[in-house]
Amino acid sequence: MHPSEYKGKWKQLKTANKSIHLEIGTGKGQFIDGMAQQHPDIHFIGIEVAKSIIVSAVEKVKETQRKNITLINEDAQDLSDLFENNEVEKIYLNFSDPWPKNKHAKRRLTYHTFLEQYQRILKPNGELILKTDNKGLFEYSLVSFSQFGGILEDVSLDLHLLDDPFNVMTEYEEKFSAKGQPIYRSRIRFPR
Ligand code: SAM
């Protein structure tokens, strides 16, 4: 079954009526697996475009036998084909590719065309959480959010100083913070 056939029905796929949280660019799955363990009452869906990378996430989920994870090997460009309006409660963007050249700005996952899709599929007042080590992408994203009318709920320029016991580290987060690099995080709300 193609994932688009679950559009509007994701809540029926796993044990009834769990909230849907979506991670875009799931990579090898460390974050989604840790979050799913921490929140068994939430259905986590991970989208990853690279087949060679998502296989590691699939293997991890098989190993941990986590029941509240769905992995989708697709490009997040077409999110509206996969999710109905208001179907998702939270979106996580973890260490998204920065695409530093201006001519590639459209590929950044915080470009306004992506934000339009996020706003559509998120519930009213739904939240997007962005973590990155990349200052340029972080600055760009904060401007993009505010030009879009998003409300910045929280901005941290050094997430690990907060010592948040509920923070689940991604593979990239472990790698960059081990090198002493600060991790930036922002939470934004899409009001409607
Ligand atoms: N989130 C992981 C982490 O923090 O360790 C991986 C970060 S890696 C830099 C970015 C990931 O996003 C890559 O695996 C890439 O294939 C994926 N990605 C980039 N653009 C995407 C898109 N449009 N749709 C889905 N996945 C995408």
Side-chain angles (χ1 to χ4, degrees):
M1 208 162 155
H2 190 268
S4 59
E5 292 179 51
Y6 289 105
K7 178 174 173 172
K9 300 179 198 146
W10 287 106
K11 276 200 170 178
Q12 294 164 25
L13 181 64
K14 303 273 163 172
T15 328
N17 275 330
K18 287 188 195 296
S19 309
I20 308 291
H21 288 199
L22 175 66
E23 186 192 17
I24 301 174
T26 296
K28 294 181 178 171
Q30 178 167 304
F31 175 82
I32 204 167
D33 189 66
M35 290 295 279
Q37 179 180 25
Q38 206 177 84
H39 305 280
D41 53 330
I42 292 170
H43 177 188
F44 287 89
I45 301 180
I47 300 189
E48 170 54 57
V49 70
K51 198 169 266 174
S52 60
I53 297 175
I54 201 174
V55 287
S56 302
V58 170
E59 275 162 19
K60 187 165 284 139
V61 171
K62 250 192 213 160
E63 213 176 275
T64 57
Q65 300 193 339
R66 220 67 76 199
K67 298 282 181 264
N68 53 331
I69 296 180
T70 301
L71 296 167
I72 304 177
N73 183 206
E74 289 286 338
D75 194 312
Q77 280 205 72
D78 306 318
L79 278 184
S80 299
D81 292 345
L82 298 172
F83 297 96
E84 199 52 84
N85 294 353
N86 308 327
E87 199 170 12
V88 174
E89 221 143 276
K90 280 192 190 179
I91 295 178
Y92 301 92
L93 300 180
N94 291 320
F95 299 81
S96 305
D97 296 329
W99 296 107
K101 291 185 182 158
N102 279 342
K103 66 176 182 185
H104 293 143
K106 285 184 180 166
R107 299 183 191 175
R108 296 177 194 147
L109 292 179
T110 49
Y111 189 68
H112 70 90
T113 50
F114 282 101
L115 300 187
E116 280 154 21
Q117 294 203 72
Y118 304 156
Q119 186 179 41
R120 265 203 297 277
I121 67 168
L122 277 170
K123 289 184 182 305
N125 283 324
E127 203 177 44
L128 181 142
I129 299 155
L130 168 81
K131 285 200 282 189
T132 181
D133 63 302
N134 190 291
K135 199 174 181 179
L137 179 69
F138 196 60
E139 285 172 354
Y140 169 85
S141 302
L142 294 186
V143 173
S144 185
F145 293 154
S146 72
Q147 284 176 345
F148 193 75
I151 296 173
L152 297 176
E153 294 281 350
D154 174 46
V155 174
S156 170
L157 298 180
D158 198 343
L159 173 63
H160 293 175
L161 279 185
L162 300 178
D163 233 356
D164 176 355
F166 300 107
N167 182 47
V168 174
M169 295 236 256
T170 78
E171 280 96 355
Y172 273 65
E173 187 171 354
E174 273 187 357
K175 195 166 87 183
F176 291 119
S177 58
K179 289 183 187 166
Q181 284 181 232
I183 304 301
Y184 307 109
R185 184 180 68 183
S186 174
R187 285 193 302 117
I188 71 139
R189 231 171 359 96
F190 288 88
R192 260 189 279 162

